[in-house]
Amino acid sequence: MKTSQIEMFLYTVETGSIAEAARKLQKSRTTVSAALNTLEDELGVSLLSRTGNRITPTEIGASIANDCQRMLLISNDITSKCSQYNAGIASTIRVVRDDALPESIWREILARMSRKFPNTCISIYVAPSPELENMVTQNMVDVAYGLFPINNRSIHLHQNELGQIRLMSVAHKDHPLSQLRKVNQIDLETNTEIIVNYITDDELIAVESKSSKYIALNFYEHLRDAVLDKTGWSSVPALLMNEYLRDGTLKVLRHNRAMNWLSFTEITKANMSRSVIIDWLSEQVEDYLLEVSE
């Protein structure tokens, strides 16, 4: 029993005509008819009933149609996976990212990714920026995307800058810092700062704070939301705040270091061969960052 025979059987059942099945499969009527006869001989049953110009499945033919459909799907899946392997496309991809880019952008990229690589199993994890390098080093993931300094700290890692993201020191419009004509270092130090924290092998660490009072959270969106709740001031990626900056809910602090740029970077193992999927994924991110920078 060949998959080509199963395909011809299913098309004949669907169209109710050997001639129509042959037309859709771009084969001759004689070829399809001969293949169906051979299939019936191999199985020892009549799969099709011919009544006038109409062909319908017999009782056994109808009962195995779904099984044949499954077999064809499995066969096509095997063929596709082998073709994907020969093309250098991984069967699985493990990605970790921070949340410096809007969630909606990652959703769009994931939807396109699943369509372009339908036979690849995709696993995406979100973690604070300081945790990403270690996850790549420990081989927990294949690639990481996030805000990093470009300094090649480890010879075991490869950093590929995809674009720049602006961080802004902001507060709610009603926060005391937003009322000041000019914010100095003492003002920052005496007001609660919302900063990022992360987990190392054995402890929870907060990144260095500019203030003597801080609240540490693990995602940039959480930092932004805490600022919106008037809990404190924070430095947050601009891409997560644009709507609130436009409507005036959030204000950029009038401080000489209220804005700075960080690199949004792809990180992989230095000795890892490049993956078609990683190349594609990085290109999507890079294109987005170029678009929003224009």
Side-chain angles (χ1 to χ4, degrees):
M1 182 168 54
K2 300 178 180 178
T3 55
S4 59
Q5 294 171 326
I6 293 174
E7 185 177 37
M8 293 178 198
F9 166 66
L10 290 171
Y11 267 98
T12 302
V13 170
E14 177 187 338
T15 62
S17 165
I18 290 178
E20 184 62 18
R23 188 186 67 80
K24 287 193 172 185
L25 291 168
Q26 296 184 329
K27 298 182 182 295
S28 70
R29 187 183 187 284
T30 301
T31 297
V32 174
S33 182
L36 293 173
N37 289 335
T38 300
L39 180 60
E40 289 178 322
D41 289 343
E42 290 179 2
L43 296 176
V45 294
S46 294
L47 298 175
L48 300 168
S49 175
R50 296 158 177 82
T51 305
N53 294 325
R54 184 69 181 172
I55 294 181
T56 58
T58 62
E59 181 180 354
I60 184 62
S63 70
I64 69 168
N66 282 340
D67 293 327
C68 288
Q69 186 67 55
R70 292 189 190 96
M71 289 179 65
L72 192 60
L73 289 172
I74 291 171
S75 174
N76 291 338
D77 190 45
I78 291 171
T79 301
S80 181
K81 285 180 178 178
C82 291
S83 297
Q84 179 173 293
Y85 174 81
N86 288 331
I89 301 173
S91 58
T92 61
I93 182 72
R94 303 168 301 163
V95 180
V96 65
R97 64 172 178 86
D98 66 13
D99 67 329
L101 301 186
E103 188 66 26
S104 59
I105 299 306
W106 284 110
R107 288 174 59 188
E108 290 176 13
I109 290 175
L110 178 59
R112 294 197 297 268
M113 188 176 179
S114 65
R115 290 192 295 269
K116 186 170 183 64
F117 307 104
N119 294 305
T120 295
C121 297
I122 304 167
S123 180
I124 299 180
Y125 188 73
V126 184
S129 301
E131 295 181 20
L132 305 189
E133 286 189 13
N134 185 59
M135 295 181 72
V136 175
T137 301
Q138 298 298 321
N139 201 35
M140 298 170 65
V141 296
D142 302 305
V143 61
Y145 294 95
L147 290 176
F148 303 103
I150 298 295
N151 53 19
N152 294 317
R153 285 182 292 174
S154 172
I155 61 172
H156 303 295
L157 296 177
H158 173 73
Q159 298 185 16
N160 177 28
E161 182 180 352
L162 303 176
Q164 295 275 313
I165 291 180
R166 184 166 56 177
L167 264 67
M168 295 181 171
S169 297
V170 294
H172 191 276
K173 64 180 181 178
D174 298 329
H175 191 279
L177 288 177
S178 296
Q179 314 308 312
L180 297 177
R181 186 183 64 83
K182 183 177 181 181
V183 176
N184 59 37
Q185 190 63 31
I186 294 177
D187 297 324
L188 297 179
E189 292 173 357
T190 54
N191 283 271
T192 300
E193 182 181 7
I194 315 299
I195 59 176
V196 173
N197 61 14
Y198 61 98
I199 294 177
T200 62
D201 293 336
D202 53 4
E203 62 180 321
L204 179 65
I205 296 177
V207 301
E208 185 177 351
S209 172
K210 299 180 183 65
S211 173
S212 58
K213 299 178 293 184
Y214 68 80
I215 296 174
L217 306 171
N218 58 343
F219 292 116
Y220 292 119
E221 286 191 350
H222 296 172
L223 270 61
R224 178 202 62 197
D225 293 344
V227 174
L228 288 169
D229 293 337
K230 308 178 187 180
T231 306
W233 69 274
S234 185
S235 293
V236 183
L239 294 173
L240 302 182
M241 303 186 296
N242 284 333
E243 62 178 295
Y244 303 105
L245 293 169
R246 282 194 295 265
D247 67 19
T249 303
L250 297 182
K251 297 290 186 181
V252 179
L253 301 183
R254 297 181 180 91
H255 183 262
N256 59 5
R257 295 186 179 178
M259 298 187 192
N260 63 89
W261 293 84
L262 286 181
S263 296
F264 194 84
T265 307
E266 166 217 293
I267 290 188
T268 58
K269 280 282 195 69
N271 59 357
M272 186 186 77
S273 59
R274 292 294 299 179
S275 161
V276 171
I277 299 180
I278 291 176
D279 284 342
W280 180 88
L281 185 54
S282 294
E283 184 179 7
Q284 305 306 301
V285 173
E286 186 174 28
D287 288 348
Y288 167 72
L289 290 174
L290 284 172
E291 180 182 344
V292 296
S293 67
E294 294 176 351

